[in-house]
Amino acid sequence: MSHPSRPNGLVLAAGLVAAVVCLPIAALAAIAAQGSGDLWPHLMEHVLPEALLQTGILLIGVGTLTVIVAVPCAWLVSTCDFPGRRVFDWALLLPLAVPGYIVAYSYLDILHPLGPVQGAIRWILGISSPRGLRLPDLRSAGGCVFVLSCVLYPYVYLSARASFMVQSAAVLEVARTLGAGPWRTMVRIALPLARPAIVAGMTLALLEVLGDIGASEFLGMRTLTVSIYATWVNRSNLPGAAQIALVMLGVVLALIAAERAARKGARYVGTGSARGRPALRLTGLRAAGAILACTLPLTLGFLVPVLHLAVAVTHRIGAVGIPPTLWAEARNSALLAGGGTLLALVLGAVVAVALRLARGPVVPALARLASTGYAIPGTVLAIGLLTPLAGFDNLVNGLMLQMTGSGTGLILSGSGAALVIAYAIRFLSIPIGGLEAGYAKMSLHLDMAARSLGSTRARVVERIHVPLLRPAAATAALIVFVDGMKELPATLLLRPLGVETLATHIYGEAARGTYEDGALAALAIILVGLGPVILLARLSRRAQEGEASLQQPSGSV
């Protein structure tokens, strides 16, 4: 079957989108090359070693704990039958709606020496003074690992569950007939088959750890991201921050390379349908253990912080009412996230259409480049965008001064446009992937039939592609919008002067030690994030149940 011919205009457009995504990285290198004067020796001796050490501790700790928590839950939900299984199937994804910094603020309040948990323990033990009983301080590496693992384990859970659900029933049944029990089948067969998916999910979680600034800073960790923010904002040294950002980018690339290496040699082949594999029914203590294993991460990652915030919000509204600034901050958050969503959708559609209509290896390579923004932490992206945006502003301002005698000021770097662009670059991979998946379900025969009836390519896109891609575009838009509402590092660094969002409001209250005043804003972000998470759970379940063929990594066993 022939494919539509290659339209060079689309290839050029996809190339421009990829160039926009890569521009911050090039600018970052240029800023770093300027040198940071006498600061770099100080950074090398006192800042970078500690930042690398603490970042490494977080990566190892969160990577290990998320796998320990998520993989058993994914296995239980995918292969076993026990009371509540259908609820846990989607509910275990709910922590995705809760940003890590909000969980950190909540747990610090809950586990404070004067908080409800330690107070209850002292009351039970008959201890009157807070000095008589002190739990380990949450402001530590262990506390940060715990908090981030509570909200990031769904990345591993989602990938592992998808892998377990499509594994061949025949392979697992052969293991059973050879005498392997459920535990041995899981350890010797299912886990090796799921290893690439688990590694991919863990890599996503670790990229989130690298980009986190709210929870890490609040819990006393001096990670690379926190060091970038401190060097830029506190020391006012942009080249120094750019140099640390380049080191952090190296860590990101090392993570991605490690993920690729871990999947090396795993070839995927179809060997039959995954349907029809009966679930292992659990009863008695085994069922109770499964319920407990699934309840624990859901409780720690979602129920506890949300209930705490709900109680705090009730008290705050009863005492002082709704803060008058909340509506303006919610509006700012919605406008900025909405602008970023719209721009990401437009850029993503350009790349997806080019993938559909152009042939050859160039466009797929450009699409992969355009999708790399998600791996760039918000702090790194913000520093990389600063110089190009300022350069554009200076160019326009200079031209207007020459032509009209009056300047335009800071059009992009001094307005919300900088954040809109940052959001679009950061989350561009979501619409590209979503629309690409939508196109995959659309037969090329539709295009060929329309072209044979005289339609132009633009007409085919307008009359056929756009209507059929609406569900995929709506899903991608919803996810990008919520991610934009939650994004903290880029918002902190690029927001216009005097503009607050819900995320920066929570960060500001936490920095002042009055994080309970940000409870309402935190709860609003979580409620906004719930819809896409539930939608994601339903879509992923539907997609896995609709798998017509089986994919399994044959090279890893």
Side-chain angles (χ1 to χ4, degrees), residues 97-332:
V98 191
Y101 52 87
I102 290 178
V103 176
Y105 305 153
S106 298
Y107 270 111
L108 200 65
D109 206 17
I110 294 169
L111 299 177
H112 191 274
L114 300 179
V117 172
Q118 296 204 43
I121 295 175
R122 286 196 301 272
W123 179 78
I124 293 173
L125 299 177
I127 300 173
S128 58
S129 171
R131 295 182 178 179
L133 175 72
R134 296 292 292 269
L135 294 180
D137 193 357
L138 192 67
R139 293 180 187 267
S140 61
C144 199
V145 167
F146 165 75
V147 165
L148 291 177
S149 299
C150 282
V151 292
L152 296 179
Y153 81 83
Y155 287 102
V156 183
Y157 167 77
L158 196 59
S159 299
R161 186 190 67 167
S163 177
F164 288 142
M165 288 190 67
V166 299
Q167 285 178 2
S168 169
V171 172
L172 301 181
E173 286 304 318
V174 166
R176 297 277 182 86
T177 57
L178 293 176
W183 173 253
R184 193 174 181 187
T185 302
M186 173 189 173
V187 174
R188 300 294 299 273
I189 305 295
L191 277 182
L193 291 176
R195 179 177 57 84
I198 294 171
V199 172
M202 188 176 68
T203 303
L204 284 177
L206 296 185
L207 289 175
E208 293 290 334
V209 172
L210 278 174
D212 174 77
I213 188 171
S216 302
E217 185 185 26
F218 195 58
L219 297 179
M221 297 295 287
R222 307 299 297 176
T223 60
L224 286 168
T225 300
V226 175
S227 300
I228 293 170
Y229 182 75
T231 302
W232 184 3
V233 175
N234 299 338
R235 297 188 177 95
S236 301
N237 192 309
L238 184 59
Q243 288 165 343
I244 301 177
L246 278 184
V247 174
M248 186 170 170
L249 200 59
V251 176
V252 171
L253 294 176
L255 263 182
I256 295 173
E259 188 262 347
R260 298 284 169 85
R263 290 194 298 170
K264 188 176 182 181
R267 294 180 292 107
Y268 289 80
V269 295
T271 59
S273 173
R275 289 180 174 178
R277 174 153 50 97
L280 178 65
R281 181 156 185 81
L282 302 179
T283 57
L285 288 178
R286 289 185 175 182
I291 294 171
L292 179 63
C294 293
T295 301
L296 197 58
L298 175 63
T299 302
L300 295 175
F302 183 78
L303 296 178
V304 169
V306 169
L307 288 176
H308 170 72
L309 288 173
V311 172
V313 165
T314 303
H315 290 164
R316 297 301 295 176
I317 292 179
V320 298
I322 297 177
T325 58
L326 183 73
W327 303 115
E329 291 162 358
R331 182 196 61 206
N332 293 337

Side-chain angles (χ1 to χ4, degrees), residues 307-396:
L307 288 176
H308 170 72
L309 288 173
V311 172
V313 165
T314 303
H315 290 164
R316 297 301 295 176
I317 292 179
V320 298
I322 297 177
T325 58
L326 183 73
W327 303 115
E329 291 162 358
R331 182 196 61 206
N332 293 337
S333 296
L335 286 175
L336 292 169
T341 301
L342 183 61
L343 184 57
L345 270 184
V346 171
L347 297 179
V350 169
V351 176
V353 171
L355 280 169
R356 173 76 169 190
L357 299 180
R359 289 186 299 175
V362 176
V363 175
L366 293 175
R368 300 290 81 80
L369 274 179
S371 302
T372 54
Y374 197 79
I376 305 175
T379 46
V380 176
L381 184 61
I383 292 177
L385 272 177
L386 199 64
T387 296
L389 296 182
F392 176 84
D393 286 343
N394 291 333
L395 176 65
V396 174

Side-chain angles (χ1 to χ4, degrees), residues 1 356 439-448 464-465:
M1 179 174 60
R356 173 76 169 190
Y439 265 131
K441 300 175 183 175
M442 199 185 304
S443 172
L444 284 172
H445 289 95
L446 289 173
D447 298 21
M448 298 167 64
I464 297 177
H465 294 180

Side-chain angles (χ1 to χ4, degrees), residues 472-536:
T475 302
L478 200 55
I479 296 173
V480 174
F481 180 79
V482 173
D483 278 342
M485 292 279 289
K486 295 191 298 183
E487 170 66 26
L488 179 61
T491 311
L492 274 177
L493 294 172
L494 291 177
R495 61 182 163 153
L497 193 64
V499 172
E500 293 286 349
T501 67
L502 292 175
T504 60
H505 170 80
I506 300 166
Y507 178 84
E509 296 290 358
R512 290 187 288 271
T514 55
Y515 38 81
E516 65 275 9
D517 289 342
L520 186 55
L523 197 59
I525 289 180
I526 293 173
L527 292 177
V528 170
L530 278 180
V533 171
I534 294 174
L535 178 63
L536 177 66

